[in-house]
């Protein structure tokens, strides 16, 4: 029975264009069965966020995304009152001179003036959503502590309204790039999955799936080049997203192989740091030799 469920999840992920492997399938399955958040760590650009997007499509539900950043606080993650609308409403009521103070207070702190941010939206959603808490390690430790409360209780107290409990407990995906170490408390509350850069065969399968019109020889050379490029000491190692962007760009240009001059002209699609570009330029001869890249004159 469990094998059938695992196969079903693998098929669901693959049907949405996500090239999976047994560890990813098992982690997603257990997260769903145990109703526990799944913490996914790994280098930038390896497909962590994509798992949440694919899971939402596969489960035929909606994705609610909380993008974390330095300085993020509970207000921006939970809710805010629309003060401008509240003030405008007060002025209109004052002009009409209707209603008691208590009625007015209840009205201006009603739902139509409440701006739901991702966490409150996920808790009050009419069906079970997928909640993506993206790059949680970019947020401060204080926000992480607040997040623990929400993940434990799945309820939020708004002073003017009261306590709101989750209609449906969301399916939670938490991602991190190891910018800082996450607390043990957060890790204990989650299942864990590490996703690394793909090997050659997996990366080639991803490129074939995402860029179906690409020439086979070109796809193979791009993936071999990317495998070797990641072995260099780079500030920002390119991920799968960059491989796909490069494959699409070269496919649009109608290449059937990877020429040296085009590699040099399109490095900016793959590398986004000038130091990395310089490092790659100094190693291009070695990269060409290892990946079979040639110029149009090499075979003459």
């Amino acid at each position: 029975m469990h094998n059938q469920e695992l196969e079903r999840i693998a098929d669901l992920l693959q049907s949405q264009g996500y090239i999976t492997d047994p560890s990813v399938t098992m982690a997603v399955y257990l997260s769903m069965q145990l109703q526990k958040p799944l913490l996914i760590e790994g280098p930038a650009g390896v497909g962590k966020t994509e798992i949440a997007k694919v899971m939402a499509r596969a489960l035929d539900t909606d994705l609610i995304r909380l993008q974390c950043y330095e300085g993020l606080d509970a207000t921006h993650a939970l809710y805010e009152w629309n003060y401008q609308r509240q003030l405008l409403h007060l002025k209109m009521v004052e002009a009409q001179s209707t209603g008691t103070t208590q009625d007015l207070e209840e009205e201006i702190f009603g739902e139509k003036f409440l701006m739901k941010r991702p966490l409150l939206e996920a808790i009050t959603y009419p069906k079970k959503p997928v909640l993506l808490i993206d790059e949680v390690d970019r947020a401060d430790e204080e926000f992480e502590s607040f997040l623990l409360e929400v993940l434990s209780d799945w309820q939020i107290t708004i002073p003017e309204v009261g306590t709101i409990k989750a209609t449906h407990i969301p399916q939670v995906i938490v991602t991190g790039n190891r910018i800082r170490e996450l607390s043990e408390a957060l890790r204990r509350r989650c299942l864990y999955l590490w996703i690394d850069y793909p090997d050659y065969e997996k990366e080639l399968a991803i490129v074939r799936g995402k860029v179906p019109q690409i020439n086979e020889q070109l796809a193979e050379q791009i993936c071999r080049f990317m495998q070797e490029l990641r072995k260099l000491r780079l500030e920002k190692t390119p991920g799968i997203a960059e491989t796909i962007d490069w494959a699409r760009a070269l496919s649009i240009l109608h290449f059937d192989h990877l020429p040296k001059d085009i590699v040099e002209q399109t490095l900016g699609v793959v590398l986004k740091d000038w130091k990395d570009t310089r490092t790659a330029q100094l190693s291009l001869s070695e990269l060409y030799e290892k990946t079979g890249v040639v110029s149009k004159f090499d075979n003459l």
Side-chain angles (χ1 to χ4, degrees):
M1 186 60 151
H2 296 309
N3 288 338
Q4 291 178 352
E5 280 296 303
L6 289 170
E7 288 176 9
R8 186 181 72 84
I9 290 171
D11 290 342
L12 283 173
L13 292 171
Q14 289 178 358
S15 70
Q16 298 298 326
Y18 191 91
I19 306 300
T20 188
D21 55 51
S23 61
V24 172
T25 304
M26 180 63 78
V28 170
Y29 171 71
L30 291 176
S31 175
M32 292 167 61
Q33 291 298 311
L34 299 176
Q35 286 291 305
K36 293 193 72 170
L38 176 60
L39 170 59
I40 308 174
E41 288 189 317
V46 294
K48 302 184 296 296
T49 301
E50 191 67 18
I51 288 181
K53 294 178 180 178
V54 169
M55 186 185 290
R57 293 198 297 267
L59 296 175
D60 192 26
T61 188
D62 295 302
L63 175 70
I64 299 172
R65 180 174 183 168
L66 173 62
Q67 180 63 53
C68 298
Y69 53 87
E70 188 177 351
L72 176 65
D73 58 20
T75 301
H76 291 93
L78 279 175
Y79 70 92
E80 289 182 274
W81 291 107
N82 191 330
Y83 295 116
Q84 290 181 325
R85 284 193 65 191
Q86 285 175 320
L87 288 171
L88 181 61
H89 186 72
L90 282 171
K91 289 179 181 178
M92 292 172 61
V93 171
E94 285 175 4
Q96 296 170 359
S97 300
T98 58
T100 65
T101 302
Q102 183 178 350
D103 291 339
L104 182 58
E105 185 176 338
E106 290 178 359
E107 189 174 353
I108 65 170
F109 288 111
E111 189 167 343
K112 68 178 179 179
F113 296 106
L114 184 64
M115 299 168 64
K116 295 181 181 179
R117 298 308 185 198
L119 290 180
L120 181 57
E121 186 181 358
I123 283 176
T124 58
Y125 214 69
K127 62 179 181 178
K128 184 184 183 72
V130 173
L131 172 62
L132 169 62
I133 303 173
D134 211 9
E135 298 184 315
V136 69
D137 48 343
R138 291 188 181 275
D140 303 325
E141 292 180 14
E142 291 79 7
F143 178 77
E144 189 180 324
S145 300
F146 155 75
L147 192 59
L148 286 171
E149 283 185 51
V150 177
L151 295 179
S152 297
D153 302 334
W154 287 114
Q155 63 181 33
I156 291 170
T157 299
I158 301 176
E160 301 87 352
V161 176
T163 299
I164 300 175
K165 295 185 178 181
T167 310
H168 303 280
I169 295 177
Q171 189 69 48
V172 182
I173 300 290
V174 184
T175 73
N177 297 328
R178 297 194 67 84
I179 293 172
R180 67 171 176 83
E181 191 64 36
L182 299 176
S183 69
E184 288 301 316
L186 178 60
R187 291 183 180 279
R188 282 198 305 271
R189 282 168 173 76
C190 301
L191 302 182
Y192 184 76
L193 175 65
W194 170 265
I195 298 181
D196 211 335
Y197 297 111
D199 60 24
Y200 169 75
E201 293 296 339
K202 184 175 180 180
E203 190 157 27
L204 181 57
I206 292 170
V207 169
R208 286 169 177 159
K210 295 291 185 180
V211 194
Q213 74 276 15
I214 195 168
N215 176 273
E216 182 65 19
Q217 179 181 327
L218 175 61
E220 291 172 359
Q221 288 187 334
I222 286 173
C223 293
R224 276 199 293 270
F225 191 92
M226 293 298 286
Q227 293 288 316
E228 294 299 326
L229 185 63
R230 294 190 187 111
K231 295 176 183 178
L232 301 179
R233 295 176 65 87
L234 302 174
E235 296 285 330
K236 297 179 181 178
T237 304
I240 301 171
E242 284 73 30
T243 305
I244 294 169
D245 285 345
W246 204 25
R248 283 176 175 155
L250 297 181
S251 181
I252 287 171
L253 293 170
H254 303 292
F255 284 103
D256 59 5
H257 68 290
L258 192 58
K260 287 181 180 178
D261 56 334
I262 295 301
V263 171
E264 291 160 25
Q265 291 170 26
T266 58
L267 270 180
V269 178
V270 177
L271 299 174
K272 312 299 172 66
D273 182 275
W274 72 268
K275 292 181 182 177
D276 290 345
T277 302
R278 183 64 178 154
T279 300
Q281 287 171 339
L282 293 172
S283 305
L284 280 176
S285 295
E286 184 180 348
L287 290 169
Y288 294 154
E289 185 178 341
K290 289 182 177 179
T291 57
V293 175
V294 298
S295 75
K296 59 184 176 182
F297 304 110
D298 288 350
N299 293 324
L300 296 179

